[in-house]
Amino acid sequence: MEKRVKWYVGLSYFVFWFMVLGLCGTASMVFHCPPVVMRILSNICAWAPTSVLLIGFKYFCPDRSIADFYKKAFGGKISIVTLIVAAIITLGATIITVFILSLIQGNAFAEYWNLGSYPFWASFLFSITTGPTGEESGWRGYLRPYLNAKYSFFSASVIQGVIWAFWHTILWFVDSDYMGIQMIPYVLSNVIVMTGLCFIMNFFMEKNDNLIYGIVIHFCFNFLYCFLQVDIWFYVVLSAIYIVIIALICWKKNVMSKE
């Protein structure tokens, strides 16, 4: 991995963790800010990868302008059909997980959902202005093309997924309800699911190289979490679902390569 790419990843980690601990930590522990303010601040923190990229753009992309970068990032063809399919796969993985969990635990499907603390429009706005728009310029716009050019589809997706997952490490400890032994399946699920999302993004963006795919897939994954009420077993089942998705994508890629 090139030095400038390593610097990008390292700085994205550092800035995000510093913002979470410094900005959100101070707001919560010192000023005791209400939940809506904390949610806004967490959304601001999610823009760390894009902020690092844009502030250090001349170093990270010495041969391009910011305008050229975004022109290329959003320049690929968009197929409404494939965009809908990508969204359905992402939404479907979560919905199927809840359905399976309801069967295993003997609860009604509806018991796992709640309208949440905010109006629907606010949940939508919070979801779209966090990771989908805050992270994707960096992870999919900058890092993904580099990894895809250097490694195979499988390796690039795994590396990207692991980098993306462990960027969230600080949140596993300060923004989750799981402790002790439950942290093991929770952390493993984060790594597996985020890697699976990278497989989905890479698969659809391979022929339709447009950042809108990453944004939509990321949004579809995040949005349902505004309404979920689940325990640790949700993440166990979700991990299994994403392992199946990764296997199916690899099988499809293998079939396509033989055609």
Side-chain angles (χ1 to χ4, degrees), residues 29 32 36 84 152 171 203 228:
M29 302 296 291
H32 307 290
V36 66
I84 292 173
S152 67
L171 299 182
F203 181 78
L228 278 172

Side-chain angles (χ1 to χ4, degrees), residues 42-240:
S42 69
N43 277 30
I44 292 173
C45 293
W47 282 78
T50 296
S51 300
V52 170
L53 177 66
L54 296 181
I55 292 173
F57 194 84
K58 288 186 178 180
Y59 173 73
F60 299 124
C61 304
D63 302 322
R64 285 185 287 173
S65 67
I66 293 177
D68 289 337
F69 172 84
Y70 278 107
K71 183 178 180 179
K72 183 179 185 304
F74 288 99
K77 180 182 177 182
I78 298 176
S79 167
I80 299 300
V81 173
T82 56
L83 194 61
I84 292 173
V85 171
I88 289 173
I89 290 173
T90 309
L91 293 169
T94 300
I95 293 171
I96 290 171
T97 297
V98 175
F99 177 73
I100 293 174
L101 192 62
S102 70
L103 294 178
I104 294 173
Q105 297 183 333
N107 298 323
F109 180 81
E111 289 185 16
Y112 296 91
W113 304 92
N114 186 293
L115 290 179
S117 306
Y118 309 107
F120 184 86
W121 66 266
S123 295
F124 182 94
L125 184 62
F126 282 139
S127 295
I128 197 66
T129 56
T130 181
T133 49
E135 299 175 32
E136 292 304 314
S137 291
W139 299 137
R140 251 58 66 181
Y142 177 69
L143 186 62
R144 173 187 160 272
Y146 170 79
L147 294 176
N148 284 0
K150 191 174 181 65
Y151 303 100
S152 67
F153 175 88
F154 182 87
S155 297
S157 299
V158 171
I159 294 170
Q160 186 181 340
V162 171
I163 290 174
W164 188 28
F166 281 98
W167 177 76
H168 292 81
T169 299
I170 189 70
L171 299 182
W172 300 343
F173 298 97
V174 302
D175 193 35
S176 78
D177 298 324
Y178 304 108
M179 299 178 65
I181 195 68
Q182 288 189 334
M183 283 296 296
I184 296 176
Y186 181 70
V187 169
L188 286 175
S189 174
N190 271 264
V191 176
I192 292 169
V193 171
M194 289 183 195
T195 300
L197 288 170
C198 288
F199 270 86
I200 297 172
M201 292 174 182
N202 275 345
F203 181 78
F204 285 99
M205 293 175 73
E206 194 170 50
K207 288 187 177 180
N208 305 277
D209 194 8
N210 193 306
L211 197 59
I212 195 68
Y213 281 85
I215 292 172
V216 168
I217 291 169
H218 198 157
F219 168 76
C220 287
F221 179 77
N222 280 10
F223 185 56
L224 291 184
Y225 274 78
C226 296
F227 314 106
L228 278 172
Q229 293 186 130
V230 293
D231 58 21
I232 192 63
W233 290 105
F234 167 82
Y235 296 97
V236 173
V237 177
L238 187 67
S239 297

Side-chain angles (χ1 to χ4, degrees), residues 24-43:
C24 294
T26 300
S28 176
M29 302 296 291
V30 178
F31 297 102
H32 307 290
C33 293
V36 66
V37 173
M38 295 305 300
R39 182 60 192 266
I40 292 171
L41 291 177
S42 69
N43 277 30

